[in-house]
Amino acid sequence: MSGSSGEKTEKPTERKRKESRKEGQVPRTQELGAWATVLLLALVMPSLMGREIGALRDLLGRALRTAEQPSIAVAMQLLRDGLLHCLIALVVLGAGIMVLGVAGAVAQGGFFLATKAVKPKWSKLNPIQGMKRIFGGQALWEGAKMLIKSSLVGILVYAAVRSMLPLLGGLVPISLVLEMVGDHAQALIRNIALAGLVMAGADYLMTRRRIGKQTRMTKDEVRREHKQSEGDPMLKSARRSRALAISRNRMLADVSTADVVLVNPTHVAVALRYEPERGAPRVVARGAGAIAAKIRERAAEHDVPLVRDVPLARAIHSSTEVGQEIPAELFAAVAHVLAFVISRRTRGFKGGTHRSPRREAELPAVPAIGRRRKPSTPVAAGR
């Protein structure tokens, strides 16, 4: 069935592409750099050869003039000049070929090291797979490519030879014949190189299409790889549990720095710390149930006063996270509690459990965490 989980219909993932590169499955043709080198030779060889021939003619003239009065020093100088010209020609050609080779490799996907391709595999010795490689689609394409290249080269050579036939009648000076033959030869090499580049482009497209089909994945493989990349759900849950435990321990450690803990009196606990230089009071710890009990225990250990205020504790617990400032609507209510705690501290009293010093029976409504704020309306709340 088309599109079933067993068919390779999905594009390869980034991880699959990296694995394919290690196995050498990269769309690449070796002919691109070779034909580009031939084209470079066809373009630069006439000027380079003209320059070197002129230098050689000058060198031979100097040698003939030196023969009248032979000298070892002059002979060594002539030898150095000749070697220097040869070296310059070789360096220019070598640098051009190297640049073209690097550019061709970069244009086809850059440099890579196929580490898995060099490892021995028993599958490579499978005769059935070998027959498929010999008589498969890739072998047919290689044969067709060779036939097309041979035909193109034959046609270009035939056209070049036919255009030079009128020069062979003996009526054209030999110097002109040699010059025209050189021009035709250069044009022939250039045309063959251009045709080879066209074939190299076609070969690259066919190789890319073949590699693309080989690296396609089934839907099951994509899902399995996605699951592996995301990680085992059990391990993720364990990591999340450890992170929560670390965060909870850090929060409980901050209870010792709180100025007051508002309690509900047993179900909810919120620890507040007031630092005038930082603005409004901040929540340093909050929790319900077992966490609230831990907060109360830690507060008792460090002589942090507990204030029983059911509506205020619930309001702050439902509207703030640890590290946040209390809502502006609750500034006045919290100020009453902090004033009470600070006054006791100045008189030398610490810790203990106390009733709320507030006299108001209502608190402004505050939005819960993650909800859009609504207009404040007073709600009644009992203690």
Side-chain angles (χ1 to χ4, degrees):
M1 182 184 297
S2 177
S4 63
S5 60
E7 291 187 1
K8 295 186 175 183
T9 57
E10 305 300 314
K11 292 183 179 180
T13 60
E14 186 63 27
R15 180 179 176 183
K16 177 68 174 180
R17 292 193 186 96
K18 291 181 179 179
E19 291 295 326
S20 300
R21 287 176 68 88
K22 292 180 180 179
E23 295 176 357
Q25 291 182 317
V26 178
R28 177 164 293 187
T29 175
Q30 302 297 331
E31 298 185 4
L32 181 61
W35 287 115
T37 302
V38 174
L39 181 60
L40 173 67
L41 293 176
L43 294 177
V44 305
M45 187 61 73
S47 60
L48 185 61
M49 289 300 295
R51 179 181 181 279
E52 293 305 313
I53 289 174
L56 181 61
R57 186 183 297 114
D58 179 66
L59 188 64
L60 288 175
R62 290 168 55 191
L64 292 174
R65 289 191 299 270
T66 306
E68 299 176 357
Q69 296 180 351
S71 171
I72 295 177
V74 174
M76 293 301 296
Q77 181 63 37
L78 290 174
L79 180 60
R80 282 195 296 269
D81 292 343
L83 292 177
L84 179 61
H85 285 298
C86 293
L87 179 63
I88 291 175
L90 293 176
V91 168
V92 171
L93 287 176
I97 293 172
M98 182 183 68
V99 169
L100 285 178
V102 172
V106 172
Q108 298 180 80
F111 298 100
F112 68 95
L113 182 61
T115 55
K116 293 187 177 181
V118 298
K119 294 181 180 179
K121 290 184 178 180
W122 291 108
S123 59
K124 295 181 179 179
L125 303 178
N126 189 340
I128 298 178
Q129 295 294 331
M131 295 295 291
K132 287 182 178 180
R133 286 194 294 268
I134 295 174
F135 300 102
Q138 179 64 16
L140 292 176
W141 166 245
E142 292 294 335
K145 184 173 62 175
M146 185 64 66
L147 180 61
I148 294 173
K149 286 192 294 185
S150 302
S151 301
L152 286 174
V153 172
I155 293 172
L156 292 173
V157 171
Y158 172 76
V161 172
R162 184 176 180 182
S163 65
M164 288 187 290
L165 287 177
L167 304 177
L168 303 179
L171 300 178
V172 183
I174 188 63
S175 60
L176 182 58
V177 171
L178 292 177
E179 182 180 353
M180 296 187 68
V181 168
D183 293 340
H184 281 79
Q186 179 189 0
L188 174 62
I189 297 175
R190 184 181 65 246
N191 293 335
I192 290 176
L194 291 174
L197 287 175
V198 173
M199 287 301 302
D203 185 39
Y204 173 77
L205 293 177
M206 291 295 294
T207 305
R208 183 170 182 173
R209 180 175 178 271
R210 174 172 56 84
I211 297 297
K213 292 179 65 176
Q214 291 177 353
T215 55
R216 282 187 173 271
M217 306 172 66
T218 64
K219 292 183 177 179
D220 287 341
E221 289 174 339
V222 173
R223 284 194 293 264
R224 186 162 55 249
E225 184 172 310
H226 179 71
K227 183 178 179 181
Q228 291 175 355
S229 63
E230 289 293 326
D232 190 346
M234 294 184 65
L235 292 178
K236 289 176 63 179
S237 177
R239 288 195 296 267
R240 190 182 302 111
S241 299
R242 286 197 298 270
L244 289 175
I246 293 172
S247 176
R248 185 184 306 119
N249 292 335
R250 187 182 302 115
M251 179 187 70
L252 292 175
D254 289 339
V255 173
S256 61
T257 65
D259 293 310
V260 65
V261 174
L262 297 171
V263 295
N264 188 21
T266 58
H267 181 63
V268 172
V270 179
L272 303 178
R273 182 172 64 216
Y274 176 59
E275 297 172 305
E277 64 276 7
R278 299 190 61 180
R282 294 178 179 271
V283 177
V284 296
R286 60 182 291 276
I291 302 300
K294 289 285 186 182
I295 293 174
R296 291 194 301 271
E297 291 177 6
R298 189 61 59 89
E301 293 174 2
H302 294 278
D303 292 329
V304 178
L306 280 72
V307 175
R308 294 192 300 268
D309 194 320
V310 175
L312 186 56
R314 288 178 177 176
I316 297 177
H317 180 270
S318 64
S319 62
T320 56
E321 295 282 3
V322 174
Q324 292 182 344
E325 295 181 352
I326 64 172
E329 295 88 342
L330 304 179
F331 282 179
V334 173
H336 279 86
V337 176
L338 289 175
F340 168 73
V341 171
I342 292 173
S343 65
R344 282 180 49 82
R345 187 188 307 163
T346 56
R347 297 196 304 270
F349 297 105
K350 297 181 179 179
T353 303
H354 313 279
R355 293 178 56 85
S356 176
R358 293 191 313 109
R359 296 291 180 264
E360 297 83 1
E362 296 179 349
L363 283 175
V366 290
I369 300 173
R371 294 184 181 180
R372 185 175 300 174
R373 287 183 172 271
K374 300 179 180 178
S376 297
T377 55
V379 293
R383 298 186 188 133

